[in-house]
Amino acid sequence: MREIEVNRDGHLVFGGADTVKLAEEYGTPLYVVDENYIVERCREIKSAFMDKYPNATAVYASKALQTIDVCRIVTREGLGLDTVSGGEIYAALKAGADPQKMVFHGNNKTKEEIKFALENNIGRFVVDNLYELVLVNKTAAELEKTASIQIRITPGVDSHTHKFISTGNIDSKFGISLKKEDRNEVIKYALDAANIDLKGFHFHVGSQLMDNEAHLMAMDIILGLVKDVREELGFVTKELNLGGGFGVRYVDGEETVRLEDFTDGMMGKINRFCEENGFELPMVYIEPGRWIVGNAGITLYTVGSIKTIPDIKTYVAVDGGMPDNPRPILYQAEYESVVANKAASKANKTVSVVGKCCESGDVLIEKTELAEDLESGDILCVFTTGAYNYSMASNYNRIPRPAMVMLKDGKARLSVRRETWEDLILREI
Ligand code: LLP
């Protein structure tokens, strides 16, 4: 979350806008996204990474928050886009993103998606497995094209248990195994395939990481691979893709981690490795998603029923919930909130914030302190909902997805219109 700003009316201000006025004008639930914040993060990526190191580039992991508006902003700021499906590529192209600066991910790309990506000259395929490599080569041959690829490896570093597991067979659906015969089979195939141009390797160690330990361990492993495949197969790696996963501050007490705290250590390792082993510096990619948009977004809700069970708890129900933010129920994710129209009030009322779904687990915040004078009709702001909220939203219980407004210098514009009940049945025949 970001620092809380309150205006003279006691209203929460976000991105220069009075959040209570936004709720009045656009209704709730409402995703509010601050364009200026996204721009600042992109510029930080440029100064702390792209401009700081030679051969360093960044693609925004658009799965975190993909709208045409957001794609346009990051494109304008000079970043490429990481996409994971035909749908994401389609929307990114509609937004005017440069296909050459796009990376296409996924562990089971369909032939249709591969064809679409090739026809549109998507810059890089991150190939996940041998099955896919064969399919990409075949599809490229049919289209008389060459697919430029990075091969995704499973570094054997589990970000959540990495202290205990540093080598061995890691259970992951992503990437190729590093066992010599397995990896060499894939790499050899790529080198021999007529319609494949192998550029290098990719790893992604996990998401919402708050330190660089897992990244550094994965770095050592991928650099070992770079050295081994030069010796064993004569392949000189031209590109390394270090994935994303750079975490953001969700709740009080968490740190804000700077991008450099993640990337400097990895870049230091690459530089030393190249010097010591006589490699030219490869092109290095990073794929930040949440780090760019997590704290660019908030969600505004209207408080409805408030139910107090004496000696147990008070349930505060809002007009959204797990359909617009499935992260608490999926990952026990924690959030901070404030009563936007009473942001100056003392927050000493202990409550559970719940959604409106027919599901007991639809709890947005298990325990928090809200304004002492909280009442139905108040506007509740939940912070840090920029990443993996809109992009993971559903229509469970036939609840229409919220609208999204973008703020630029405090001025709001509608970016995604609210879904209607009619929208919900549009595709039904
Ligand atoms: N690159 C690859 C290959 C990825 O799989 C991901 C995220 C990223 C980059 C971007 O990761 P980020 O920088 O945003 O951490 N839905 C989950 C997060 C899933 C992340 C999936 N992959 C959540 O809400 O926490």
Side-chain angles (χ1 to χ4, degrees):
M1 67 176 299
R2 289 153 65 177
E3 296 310 316
I4 290 184
E5 210 187 312
V6 182
N7 67 14
R8 266 184 286 149
D9 298 326
H11 294 177
L12 173 73
V13 174
F14 180 77
D18 181 321
T19 55
V20 180
K21 292 203 173 120
L22 291 175
E24 269 164 21
E25 188 174 348
Y26 296 97
T28 60
L30 183 69
Y31 293 121
V32 180
V33 176
D34 181 8
E35 174 167 345
N36 292 27
Y37 184 88
I38 297 178
V39 168
E40 278 167 31
R41 294 288 74 75
C42 291
R43 294 190 180 165
E44 199 174 327
I45 288 169
K46 268 190 283 184
S47 62
F49 185 70
M50 294 163 74
D51 295 343
K52 183 166 174 180
Y53 297 103
N55 290 357
T57 191
V59 291
Y60 164 57
S62 65
K63 73 198 79 158
L65 171 59
Q66 211 209 35
T67 62
I68 303 269
D69 258 337
V70 173
C71 288
R72 279 198 187 128
I73 296 163
V74 295
T75 298
R76 208 177 52 218
E77 290 302 313
L79 271 64
L81 286 178
D82 151 358
T83 56
V84 288
S85 68
E88 281 192 359
I89 295 175
Y90 177 83
L93 291 171
K94 286 276 175 193
D98 177 356
Q100 276 300 303
K101 285 167 91 175
M102 278 161 65
V103 173
F104 183 20
H105 270 284
N107 67 312
N108 192 22
K109 304 171 183 73
T110 65
K111 171 136 180 143
E112 185 193 11
E113 289 175 318
I114 293 168
K115 187 163 173 260
F116 182 63
L118 285 165
E119 283 166 352
N120 285 288
N121 301 316
I122 300 308
R124 292 288 177 276
F125 286 70
V126 177
V127 170
D128 197 88
N129 50 65
L130 186 57
Y131 164 81
E132 186 176 291
L133 180 57
V134 173
L135 190 59
V136 171
N137 184 46
K138 186 164 172 275
T139 314
E142 285 162 13
L143 297 172
E144 296 178 9
K145 298 234 179 200
T146 298
S148 295
I149 72 160
Q150 298 165 350
I151 293 175
R152 179 165 181 167
I153 60 156
T154 314
V157 176
D158 181 327
S159 52
H160 301 293
T161 53
H162 65 269
K163 289 200 172 68
F164 312 106
I165 306 167
S166 57
T167 51
N169 291 327
I170 289 305
D171 182 1
S172 168
K173 73 169 183 173
F174 297 108
I176 62 163
S177 131
L178 286 180
K179 265 170 69 189
K180 186 172 169 183
E181 52 277 30
D182 293 347
R183 58 153 158 89
N184 282 359
E185 184 188 13
V186 179
I187 297 166
K188 267 192 209 146
Y189 188 99
L191 292 173
D192 293 344
N195 297 77
I196 295 286
D197 178 10
L198 176 61
K199 300 285 190 189
F201 301 101
H202 169 279
F203 68 72
H204 172 75
V205 279
S207 198
Q208 184 53 15
L209 305 180
M210 296 304 268
D211 62 54
N212 65 358
E213 226 177 310
H215 282 103
L216 290 180
M217 285 168 78
M219 200 67 237
D220 288 340
I221 288 163
I222 206 169
L223 291 174
L225 174 75
V226 167
K227 199 170 166 194
D228 289 346
V229 296
R230 184 177 67 179
E231 275 161 25
E232 292 163 19
L233 306 171
F235 173 65
V236 178
T237 300
K238 294 179 254 342
E239 295 181 359
L240 285 178
N241 187 331
L242 318 180
F246 317 123
V248 304
R249 175 170 178 242
Y250 275 87
V251 290
D252 282 340
E254 279 177 345
E255 300 277 310
T256 297
V257 189
R258 297 172 319 151
L259 187 78
E260 285 141 297
D261 297 333
F262 292 105
T263 47
D264 280 356
M266 290 195 282
M267 294 311 278
K269 275 186 187 280
I270 295 176
N271 282 324
R272 278 194 301 280
F273 171 85
C274 288
E275 260 176 47
E276 285 166 13
N277 295 283
F279 278 92
E280 298 219 348
L281 270 186
M283 189 75 190
V284 180
Y285 288 62
I286 54 169
E287 302 174 330
R290 190 191 319 260
W291 196 84
I292 297 178
V293 292
N295 271 309
I298 57 171
T299 307
L300 300 175
Y301 301 97
T302 301
V303 173
S305 71
I306 300 175
K307 165 179 163 172
T308 299
I309 308 173
D311 304 326
I312 298 192
K313 66 166 82 152
T314 296
Y315 283 102
V316 173
V318 295
D319 53 354
M322 59 183 278
D324 60 79
N325 184 359
R327 297 194 69 258
I329 199 166
L330 281 175
Y331 319 115
Q332 293 73 53
E334 293 183 351
Y335 286 91
E336 296 283 355
S337 64
V338 75
V339 180
N341 54 316
K342 293 172 180 164
S345 294
K346 198 165 177 206
N348 59 3
K349 193 177 169 71
T350 306
V351 304
S352 267
V353 178
V354 298
K356 66 188 253 87
C357 280
C358 276
E359 183 117 356
S360 307
D362 179 20
V363 177
L364 281 176
I365 306 177
E366 187 65 51
K367 194 173 176 196
T368 188
E369 263 76 51
L370 294 182
E372 55 187 349
D373 47 347
L374 172 80
E375 59 193 335
S376 302
D378 283 343
I379 302 300
L380 188 81
C381 167
V382 175
F383 294 97
T384 323
T385 59
Y388 304 109
N389 271 228
Y390 173 76
S391 62
M392 291 175 73
S394 77
N395 289 125
Y396 183 44
N397 288 181
R398 292 271 203 201
I399 294 172
R401 274 173 281 217
M404 184 185 295
V405 294
M406 297 288 297
L407 301 172
K408 188 173 185 200
D409 304 329
K411 286 211 177 54
R413 65 173 189 279
L414 189 63
S415 180
V416 181
R417 74 159 169 81
R418 186 175 301 285
E419 264 180 341
T420 62
W421 290 337
E422 181 62 22
D423 288 331
L424 299 178
I425 56 165
L426 266 186
R427 288 166 299 115
E428 292 180 36
I429 295 151

